[in-house]
Structure formats: structure tokens, C-alpha cells
Amino acid sequence: MNKLALIIEDDEDLANIFAEALRGIGFEIENALDGKVARERLIHGATPFLILLDMHLPHFSGRELLLNVIKKDPRFNTSWIMITTADARLAEELRDQVDFAMIKPILFGQLRDLAARLKPKDEI
């Protein structure tokens, strides 16, 4: 069974690049292009292995999703949480809340190689 990655990114081209990098190492992909869609998906969908979360989204910010949905739902304790942002200050502020805080631009190979090393959290 493939691992599920939920890509929450409002830049469709960037979401597609992230999806291609992860699909190439065996991930199943779901995309959410804005905070409202992402919120519904997080609340009602399957628990992803990896959540790739942009911080600047329409409707609900990535920060709101992280602190008010993801961190408050124990289902996501087993998910790897990776935030992506061009705002280094915000990344540093949230670093303790996530597994990875990545500063954009993120290279295709950088994301692929990092995600390829992830093991289920209950095996660590």
C-alpha cells in the first residue's frame, strides 16, 4: 500500500512539482489548493502519512490549520508535518510545532530525498 501525502499549497504549479517529487518515490497524492478545502479534507479525510503545508493560503492560513486543526487532532500524531514558506521568521517561530520547516524555494530533489527517508513514526 502506498503512503498518502496531502499537499496543501495554493500555487498549483508548485503543488504539481511537489506531487511529482513524492509520486516518484511511491506516495499517493491528494492536493488542497486553499485553506478551506484543506480544512475539510483534514477533518473528514483519511489520515495522511505526510502533510506538506504552505503557510500562506486563501481562506485559512497554514498557521491556523496547523495550530487549530492538525495539532488538536490526535489522528495526526502519526503524520509527518512539513511546513513550507518563504517567510524564514514564520518557519523559525513554528519549528517546534512541526517535523520539518522548509524555506522556499524547495528543490525537487531536496523534497524527494527527505521524504524518501521517512519511516512510520511508530517504528522510530
Side-chain angles (χ1 to χ4, degrees):
M1 181 166 112
N2 287 345
K3 296 177 275 193
L4 175 63
L6 175 59
I7 300 172
I8 304 170
E9 170 62 61
D10 64 326
D11 180 326
E12 194 167 355
D13 291 334
L14 193 51
N16 288 334
I17 290 168
F18 290 163
E20 191 61 32
L22 296 173
R23 201 176 281 118
I25 54 171
F27 278 86
E28 291 179 18
I29 305 298
E30 286 187 26
N31 286 330
L33 296 174
D34 69 51
K36 185 176 181 182
V37 170
R39 184 178 179 279
E40 288 303 307
R41 168 55 188 79
L42 287 164
I43 291 170
H44 300 293
T47 304
F49 179 84
L50 171 64
I51 300 171
L52 194 62
L53 177 62
D54 181 26
M55 289 289 96
H56 299 286
L57 300 164
H59 307 296
F60 292 99
S61 73
R63 179 191 188 105
E64 289 175 287
L65 292 171
L66 176 65
L67 299 178
N68 297 326
V69 179
I70 295 170
K71 298 307 277 185
K72 290 187 176 181
D73 188 334
R75 291 182 307 135
F76 301 116
N77 291 347
T78 60
S79 298
W80 290 95
I81 311 299
M82 182 184 301
I83 61 170
T84 63
T85 184
D87 184 341
R89 180 194 54 76
L90 181 58
E92 188 58 36
E93 182 181 319
L94 294 173
R95 187 170 304 281
D96 292 342
Q97 300 291 320
V98 298
D99 298 302
F100 304 98
M102 301 190 67
I103 306 298
K104 293 178 180 178
I106 299 165
L107 300 175
F108 182 95
Q110 180 185 24
L111 175 60
R112 181 198 59 219
D113 294 349
L114 177 62
R117 291 192 304 263
L118 299 178
K119 306 261 187 265
K121 284 188 170 182
D122 59 2
E123 291 180 12
I124 297 175

